Amino acid sequence: GQVILDMGTGRCGSTTLAAAFRSVDNALSTHENPPMIFWQPQSEQIEFHLKRLGLLCRYYSVVFDAAHWWLNAIDPFFKRFPQGKVVGLHRGMESCVTSFLRLKGVEPGTPNHWALPNNGIWGPNIWDPCYPSYAVPQGLESDHYRAKGTQIQWYVDTYNRQLHELARAHPEQVMLLSTESLDQPQVADTLGD
């Protein structure tokens, strides 16, 4: 079967795209299937997923897996699945950051996956290793909304730059889509090919 990965920052439409792939005949579509792959991937995390995808494509004509963590694990994926494809989702910065802030909250004790551990403001969370971490921006220690928003902006910018570099390096295998374009008919036609 054909293996297709979806990657994006999160809050960018991956759940919607995974649901759309569930309607494809003889397809299996998963979204953030555990175990997680860390931002600094561990080889056993990657190997687990590659074996899982390999087994699944014996039984399904399309195996689709959506997770933000694939970005830093893409080289082993392409090595194992040279015909593999990637859909890279990206969303406008402001709407992506706002969505993360709404979902995660900003108050002290809420999760901030992008903050350094033991930062004295936000609590730890099991998902933290799946994201890069940044120091609290100077001068924003008491403005939790702006501090967390800035850290998320740094993450989204870093992620999307890497995603666009990946598309330039692998133009035949990586298709970039904006979240805002997912409801357009020509996108559905392209993905169906």
Side-chain angles (χ1 to χ4, degrees):
Q2 174 68 56
V3 181
I4 304 170
L5 298 182
D6 166 54
M7 61 178 74
T9 58
R11 312 309 301 159
C12 63
S14 60
T15 302
T16 300
L17 195 56
F21 268 93
R22 286 187 193 106
S23 67
V24 174
D25 286 339
N26 196 33
L28 176 72
S29 177
T30 57
H31 183 268
E32 295 179 351
N33 192 79
M36 300 175 227
I37 296 177
F38 296 162
W39 185 256
Q40 300 293 326
Q42 297 177 358
S43 58
E44 58 273 6
Q45 294 168 331
I46 297 170
E47 186 58 28
F48 174 89
H49 284 283
L50 296 179
K51 282 183 180 178
R52 179 179 72 87
L53 295 172
L55 287 170
L56 292 171
C57 67
R58 293 181 190 175
Y59 301 98
Y60 296 94
S61 57
V62 176
V63 176
F64 179 86
D65 190 59
H68 64 281
W69 56 59
W70 279 114
L71 183 66
N72 291 332
I74 199 62
D75 289 338
F77 170 76
F78 281 147
K79 186 174 181 182
R80 183 77 57 91
F81 300 98
Q83 302 304 313
K85 303 287 183 188
V86 171
V87 177
L89 287 173
H90 56 94
R91 183 177 185 184
M93 177 69 77
E94 185 177 334
S95 55
C96 188
V97 171
T98 300
S99 182
F100 267 124
L101 288 170
R102 193 176 310 121
L103 177 70
K104 302 295 181 179
V106 295
E107 297 80 20
T110 59
N112 183 349
H113 309 306
W114 309 274
L116 293 172
N118 306 313
N119 57 71
I121 302 170
W122 298 284
N125 184 276
I126 192 170
W127 287 88
D128 292 350
C130 298
Y131 298 89
S133 17
Y134 307 99
V136 174
Q138 197 168 16
L140 296 180
E141 295 84 0
S142 61
D143 188 342
H144 302 145
Y145 185 87
R146 284 186 50 219
K148 191 173 194 175
T150 299
Q151 291 169 314
I152 296 169
Q153 286 176 351
W154 292 340
Y155 160 67
V156 171
D157 181 61
T158 297
Y159 195 105
N160 286 338
R161 275 190 286 110
Q162 283 183 243
L163 190 59
H164 282 79
E165 288 171 16
L166 180 66
R168 282 190 292 278
H170 302 277
E172 299 299 315
Q173 292 175 280
V174 179
M175 177 175 63
L176 296 180
L177 291 174
S178 70
T179 302
E180 297 77 12
S181 72
L182 285 178
D183 62 355
Q184 296 176 2
Q186 64 268 29
V187 170
D189 293 343
T190 301
L191 291 173
D193 295 340

